[in-house]
Amino acid sequence: KVFGTIQNSFWIQFGVANVFLFFGLAMLEAIHLPGWNLARDNHKKEGWLGVFLMGFASGFVVGPCTAPVLGALLVHVAARQNITFGVSLLMTFAFGLGFLLVVAGTFSGLLASLPRSGAWMRWVKRLAGLGLLGLAEYYFLRAGQLM
């Protein structure tokens, strides 16, 4: 209920629309982002702080997606009052969430066999930029309806 209330705020809709607009224009190269060279070798940094921050950020993404399901499971387990059933149900939920990470880690070597970037990648980038501009327009319209 809290996330629904926050999401239906004019300022949130307006902010999301502006983020989509900014990145859509950046992908279409209509605006230049000095100092944002993503080709640099930033991925070789190691340390527990980077791991902690990535986990912390992913918790904000995963939390709203898994909280309703986990809440419903906990209510169901509490209503049944069976510890064995509750443990098995929650373990199944945890294995289901972790399975995607195991699959992604197992088949990450297949990324090396993907085609190399070239002229086709510029068209993909333009298409994604147009998609972001479309999403920006959608959120601007929703913000206008909430005003």
Side-chain angles (χ1 to χ4, degrees):
K1 187 175 180 181
V2 172
F3 289 112
T5 305
I6 292 171
Q7 181 184 2
N8 287 325
S9 165
F10 165 77
W11 293 108
I12 297 296
Q13 298 288 323
F14 187 71
V16 168
N18 280 308
V19 168
F20 280 137
L21 179 65
F22 176 75
F23 285 113
L25 290 174
M27 289 191 80
L28 291 173
E29 297 175 0
I31 57 175
H32 179 64
L33 304 173
W36 284 29
N37 186 4
L38 298 178
R40 287 185 295 186
D41 215 10
N42 287 337
H43 65 279
K44 293 198 177 193
K45 293 182 179 176
E46 297 176 1
W48 63 271
L49 182 62
V51 172
F52 175 77
L53 291 176
M54 284 300 291
F56 189 74
S58 65
F60 278 113
V61 174
V62 174
C65 299
T66 59
V69 176
L70 184 60
L73 284 176
L74 290 174
V75 167
H76 184 66
V77 167
R80 298 270 313 253
Q81 294 184 350
N82 185 345
I83 292 176
T84 308
F85 175 72
V87 168
S88 65
L89 196 61
L90 292 172
M91 286 292 287
T92 303
F93 179 66
F95 283 135
L97 287 176
F99 179 73
L100 295 175
L101 295 174
V102 170
V103 168
T106 303
F107 296 108
S108 63
L110 292 177
L111 293 175
S113 65
L114 289 175
R116 300 289 174 224
S117 62
W120 68 275
M121 188 59 108
R122 281 187 233 116
W123 287 103
V124 171
K125 185 177 174 183
R126 290 177 187 153
L127 185 65
L130 289 175
L132 286 174
L133 290 180
L135 285 171
E137 179 63 26
Y138 171 75
Y139 279 102
F140 277 129
L141 289 173
R142 285 200 55 189
Q145 292 171 350
L146 293 173
M147 200 160 93

